[in-house]
Each structure stands twice: as C-alpha cells, then as structure tokens.
Amino acid sequence: MAGARKPGRNFLFVPGPTNVPDRILRAMHVVMEDHRSSDFPKLTLPLYEDLKKIFKTKDGQVVIYPSSGTGAWESALTNTLSPGDKLLAARFGQFSHLWIELAKRHGLEVIVQEEEWGTGVNPDRIEEALRADRAHAIKGVLVVHNETATGVTSNVGAVRRAIDAAKHPAMLYVDGVSSIASIDFRFDEWGVDLAITGSQKGLMLPAGLGIVCASQKALAAMKDAKCRKAYFDFGDQMRANATGYFPYTPALPLLYGLRESLAVLQEEGLENVFARHHHLAGGARAAVQAWGLKLCAKEPKWHSDTVSAIMVPQGFNGADVIDRAYRRYNLALGAGLSQVAGKLFRIGHLGDLNELMLLGAIAGAEMAMRDTGIEIEFGSGVAAAQAHFRGVQAAKETKVAAE
Ligand code: PLP
C-alpha cells in the first residue's frame, strides 16, 4: 500500500549514504553554537590531525567543505590547475565519467583512456601516455580508486609507479569517495597529490562534507592555478582553518559527527576496518557465485571491498529487483547507472556493518530476485556467505589455537 508504514529498520545497502551508527547520530544532536567563539577551535583543529591519519599522510593538508564529494572533486581541480591544462584520465564507470565532465566544464582538456566497464585503470597505458608527453603538457592524472558504479578497485600504487617510471611531473589526483576509511589508502606512500572523499560512505556520516587532502606539491601549484573559484578557494579555507575557523558558517552538527566518526574508526583500528570490509565483501562475493551470477568486475584483481555490482541474467531488469526489494522488503539496493542501467544491481557493503546485517541484505536480494523471476535457489547465497564467514572465522580460531 502506497505510503503505508514500513515497520522495522530500513536495510540501507546502497553504496553510500551508509548506516550512521547511533552514537554518531547522537553526537550530531547538538544545539547550535557560535562558530567564532574562542572554544570552537578545540572541536576543529583535532579533526584535521585525525583526518590525516585516515589519509595516511604526514605533510598533506586537509580541507573540509560543507559540500558533497562532487564539490571536493571541483576544489581539487580548480585550486591546482588553469584553463587549457591537460589531464590524463581513465574512464570505466559513471563516476570516472562525471569527474572528467566536471574537469571539462572548467576548461581543462582531458585525454581520456577508455577502459572496459568492469575493469579499472591500466597503469601501463598511463605510463605509455606520459612517456609520449615529452613536453610535460599533462599536468595531472585522475584516478577513481574505487569505481562505485561497477564495484571496481584500481591499483593507485601502480599508477604512482607508472608516473615515476615515465619520469613525468604530473600530479596524481585520486577520488577516494568510496574507498577512504574502508579500503586501504596511502596518501604519502603512493605519492598522491590530491585525494578527495565525502562524508557519507566510509566515514559513516550523512552526506554534506567534501574532504580534500593536498600534498605540498599541490599546495605549491596553487599559486599558478587560474581556474575560477570563490567558495572552494583553498586559500580562504586554509587561512581560516589555521586558527580553527572557517571562512563561512560551518556545518556544525556534521563536524561533531565527524569527531565521533573519527573516534569510532580509531577505536576499531583502521587496519581492522579494512579487514572487516574485505571479510564482508568476501561473503557477498560468495553469495553471487552461489547464485550462479557474475559480478560486473571482470577479474578478482578488480574486486571492490565496498560494493559488489551484480549482473542480472539476460532478459531481466536490475531495476525491477531493486524496486521489489525496496517496496516489499524495505531493502535499498544500489541502481545500475548509465551504461549499466538495468543490467545490474549493487550491494553496498561499507561503513557500519556486520555479518548478520549483510546476510539480511543477501536474503532480501534472493527474495527480490525470485519475485522478479530470476531463478536462484532460496538460501543459496545466504548459505555461501555464512560458510565464507564461518570458514574465515574457523581458520582464524585454528591459527590462534596453534599459536
Ligand atoms: N566519486 C565516487 C567514486 C562516488 O561514488 C561518488 C558518489 O557516490 C562521487 C564521486 C560523488 O560524490 P557525491 O555524490 O558525494 O557528490
């Protein structure tokens, strides 16, 4: 019945926004306060330091905008480049596509390397293009670390090695919107110059914060960057941030939420967070295999630990599965976007999540698939995921017992 109350919790399994833990919700429930008070920097200054641990950087500088990830994309480009500058970017999904389009709208010239959707960045092709650019006209390489549309993770470290092998000075721009704080990300080690993320995925917050981390090289590039910017100017932000303030009214509850989110991540331990995501993703992949279905990601090396994009069999529409799951089971699955619209549905397995929550989503996906005529065996995905979870757990226990 349209508009009827849906009892119980909504199973939110889109790959962002993710579940916001209750303690983060509570932390955001604050009365408003003066963001110019002498107490305010006590809240803000530690956020920058703690975010640096999330990016894994010592010298990088973090900026927090009241925006979504798209604003962070824009700020990373406009603060470090000038109209007419060349960029090199691989396109293999809706988000790599959108970033390229955004760059073009700012007058940047993007050399696009098309890769098959379901694969990711090809470091050899990057190296080849950079070697061919003897005049060093290419100012930056854009990489979407985790392509949320297809469930593909690319090897950012290999891209850095490709840039170095070509002895090219291009800066490395990385979209970590659906990887940072869920999949290992190493800003310093990979020589990333601009990394961007949003609040609504691994950070377990509502959407509303766009976060950028800039290297010293990126900061040096600011002085020659002529792209137009005003609200997103790093300069205004950094001058105000240095003393703990903002050049405009900050999104106060989100900053309190961010403080709690960083505490939650620290308590679990970042490496444990990554391991948990890998563990859960293994369960989702085991379910897909048991259903006899295929991931959009073509090979295990592309498998994403934050989102699985599951191809529906020929003759079926992924949108029907998603609609059925939502209406009948109160389960939100991710849609197929653009080129893969209707061809797949996505299970986001990132953020504040455990085995039983994911098993619920797998069970719901099974029911929705059966309702739309896809012949999978009830319980097959659930059982495979359980076996994966138990197998991994049992192996861990055996290892501990043996030690
Ligand atoms: N990049 C990636 C990889 C994404 O998954 C998204 C959103 O899902 C974006 C960028 C855009 O971020 P936002 O929707 O927060 O603007």
Side-chain angles (χ1 to χ4, degrees):
M1 229 194 318
R5 188 181 101 82
K6 289 182 172 168
R9 278 210 158 184
N10 170 243
F11 275 66
L12 185 61
F13 279 83
V14 293
T18 62
N19 299 298
V20 180
D22 291 348
R23 61 183 271 197
I24 296 184
L25 285 173
R26 282 195 296 274
M28 289 189 295
H29 196 87
V30 289
V31 292
M32 290 305 106
E33 64 182 80
D34 177 12
H35 58 282
R36 300 190 201 282
S37 79
S38 54
D39 277 336
F40 195 63
K42 288 193 200 107
L43 166 66
T44 55
L45 290 175
L47 295 178
Y48 299 107
E49 284 314 304
D50 289 343
L51 278 169
K52 282 167 68 172
K53 294 179 200 147
I54 301 291
F55 284 99
K56 295 196 178 167
T57 183
K58 282 206 161 58
D59 297 331
Q61 185 155 349
V62 174
V63 178
I64 308 168
Y65 292 105
S67 82
S68 71
T70 303
W73 267 349
E74 180 160 328
S75 76
L77 299 178
T78 55
N79 279 287
T80 52
L81 296 163
S82 301
D85 277 354
K86 280 199 173 68
L87 290 171
L88 177 65
R91 173 160 50 197
F92 46 87
Q94 182 63 358
F95 293 102
S96 40
H97 169 70
L98 288 176
W99 202 11
I100 289 167
E101 289 305 306
L102 185 147
K104 287 186 188 162
R105 287 203 212 169
H106 280 284
L108 301 164
E109 196 183 312
V110 190
I111 304 163
V112 180
Q113 291 185 340
E114 302 290 352
E115 303 293 350
E116 192 184 358
W117 287 36
T119 71
V121 181
N122 179 336
D124 293 340
R125 285 188 76 194
I126 299 275
E127 183 179 335
E128 201 183 321
L130 293 178
R131 278 189 194 279
D133 176 39
R134 294 222 170 76
H136 291 170
I138 295 170
K139 299 294 175 216
V141 176
L142 305 191
V143 176
V144 173
H145 185 203
N146 188 77
E147 177 49 82
T148 323
T150 56
V152 160
T153 304
S154 286
N155 186 339
V156 179
V159 176
R160 164 47 63 198
R161 289 192 289 281
I163 299 172
D164 292 348
K167 299 195 172 49
H168 200 289
M171 286 187 286
L172 178 55
Y173 296 73
V174 184
D175 171 333
V177 172
S178 58
S179 61
I180 287 171
S182 312
I183 297 174
D184 195 10
F185 189 91
R186 305 176 182 193
F187 188 90
D188 285 356
E189 191 182 317
W190 296 340
V192 178
D193 291 297
L194 278 308
I196 67 131
T197 194
S199 46
Q200 75 275 23
K201 305 208 190 228
L203 290 171
M204 305 168 286
L205 289 163
L209 297 179
I211 303 169
V212 185
C213 185
S215 71
Q216 292 302 316
K217 183 171 164 183
L219 297 180
M222 275 167 63
K223 61 179 186 314
D224 299 321
K226 305 267 182 315
C227 279
R228 294 183 77 155
K229 59 212 163 271
Y231 187 77
F232 283 117
D233 197 319
F234 274 173
D236 296 339
Q237 275 280 353
M238 287 173 185
R239 272 187 295 279
N241 291 171
T243 49
Y245 295 97
F246 283 82
Y248 36 63
T249 321
L252 195 76
L254 281 169
L255 296 179
Y256 276 100
L258 179 60
R259 183 170 76 178
E260 194 66 11
S261 146
L262 293 165
V264 169
L265 289 166
Q266 263 169 31
E267 272 171 37
E268 186 173 352
L270 207 48
E271 303 307 316
N272 294 332
V273 171
F274 302 149
R276 174 169 55 81
H277 281 79
H278 182 65
H279 175 68
L280 293 173
R285 292 191 280 263
V288 175
Q289 198 179 13
W291 292 332
L293 299 180
K294 289 211 161 12
L295 289 170
C296 181
K298 304 274 176 214
E299 287 176 67
K301 69 171 180 181
W302 303 121
H303 284 172
S304 164
D305 283 345
T306 56
V307 52
S308 292
I310 300 153
M311 307 302 293
V312 293
Q314 282 270 323
F316 294 94
N317 188 340
D320 294 339
V321 177
I322 294 163
D323 190 54
R324 183 70 186 177
Y326 182 69
R327 285 168 175 279
R328 174 78 171 85
Y329 305 111
N330 206 2
L331 164 66
L333 299 168
L337 303 173
S338 147
Q339 247 187 56
V340 288
K343 294 186 182 157
L344 56 78
F345 67 88
R346 294 175 296 157
I347 299 182
H349 30 77
L350 74 163
D352 189 43
L353 205 63
N354 62 29
E355 293 167 338
L356 292 190
M357 290 162 85
L358 183 55
L359 286 170
I362 292 171
E366 287 185 352
M367 291 196 280
M369 282 194 283
R370 277 285 285 264
D371 291 349
T372 49
I374 301 176
E375 287 195 9
I376 49 109
E377 196 183 324
F378 276 140
S380 56
V382 172
Q386 285 172 322
H388 172 84
F389 294 151
R390 200 63 197 95
V392 171
Q393 191 57 33
K396 255 194 212 156
E397 282 161 12
T398 318
K399 190 164 168 263
V400 170
E403 280 165 7

